[in-house]
Amino acid sequence: MKLEGKKILSFVHHEFEDLELWYPIHRLREEGAIVELAGEKANETYIGKYGVPAEADFSFGDINPAEYDALLVPGGWAPDKLRRFPEVIAIVQHMEENKKPIGQICHAGWVLISAKVLEGKKVTSTPGIRDDMENAGATWIDEPVVVDGHLVSSRRPPDLPDYMREFIKVFE
């Protein structure tokens, strides 16, 4: 198991894209990682766009990002909610400053835009937020997955296998 002993945080909020949250979590757990969920409220159940639930282990304010080796930001409509929390922004900025792996897919780029960490980065996302990514100073590339150092970005659910393969490689 390639990620044995690694601790990874994933954000969650209502209307996350079900596959973009759960596929990475399961894939990383298969590799031995501990993956924990942080939401607005600890122990609250959040419902995905297609009805799949996810319960937050912790609230955003409970999180000490120094205790985590990486961060995942799922897509869907949740990123538009997530980026409004100062604690979420602070966690993303901590991960960026410490060059810890950050995975973002689909609309998750909105969170990184609000954290102001995309200047000069190469990224991808759903084409719907391409302009937002470019306006934040990123170079947008239409590929299933784009890796720029510790930042791994992907477009949409069909790209999940490529996304997770590259995200796991960042730990090597």
Side-chain angles (χ1 to χ4, degrees):
M1 291 195 281
K2 297 177 183 175
L3 300 180
E4 189 75 40
K6 298 294 183 188
K7 193 172 173 186
I8 300 170
L9 179 66
S10 180
F11 293 136
V12 66
H13 209 291
H14 292 294
E15 298 190 73
F16 59 87
E17 207 300 334
D18 306 58
L19 285 172
E20 294 170 359
L21 177 78
W22 284 112
Y23 183 105
I25 289 173
H26 290 310
R27 184 68 195 90
L28 295 170
R29 286 177 177 166
E30 286 173 348
E31 291 295 339
I34 297 164
V35 184
E36 297 176 334
L37 289 171
E40 183 177 1
K41 297 177 185 171
N43 305 309
E44 180 162 323
T45 298
Y46 296 91
I47 305 299
K49 285 172 53 178
Y50 304 107
V52 178
E55 185 175 321
D57 300 302
F58 302 99
S59 73
F60 303 134
D62 293 335
I63 298 300
N64 175 358
E67 295 177 0
Y68 292 89
D69 298 298
L71 174 66
L72 287 173
V73 185
W77 304 127
D80 191 36
K81 297 174 181 83
L82 292 169
R83 66 184 177 164
R84 301 172 196 198
F85 294 92
E87 302 92 342
V88 167
I89 299 305
I91 291 166
V92 172
Q93 290 172 338
H94 172 89
M95 297 306 224
E96 172 62 23
E97 289 164 9
N98 290 279
K99 305 300 181 219
K100 293 182 180 183
I102 300 171
Q104 62 112 66
I105 185 167
C106 199
H107 286 84
W110 278 337
V111 177
L112 280 71
I113 289 167
S114 292
K116 300 185 181 358
V117 300
L118 291 181
E119 181 73 36
K121 302 281 186 178
K122 294 178 184 166
V123 296
T124 195
S125 66
T126 179
I129 67 166
R130 174 184 180 164
D131 291 348
D132 301 328
M133 301 288 269
E134 290 176 339
N135 289 336
T139 299
W140 190 87
I141 302 167
D142 189 13
E143 294 288 335
V145 64
V146 173
V147 179
D148 188 343
H150 63 283
L151 177 60
V152 182
S153 57
S154 195
R155 299 178 301 191
R156 55 187 174 257
D159 301 327
L160 282 162
D162 295 322
Y163 175 48
M164 280 299 96
R165 188 169 34 259
E166 295 302 319
F167 188 77
I168 290 165
K169 280 184 191 175
V170 170
F171 287 90
E172 295 174 356

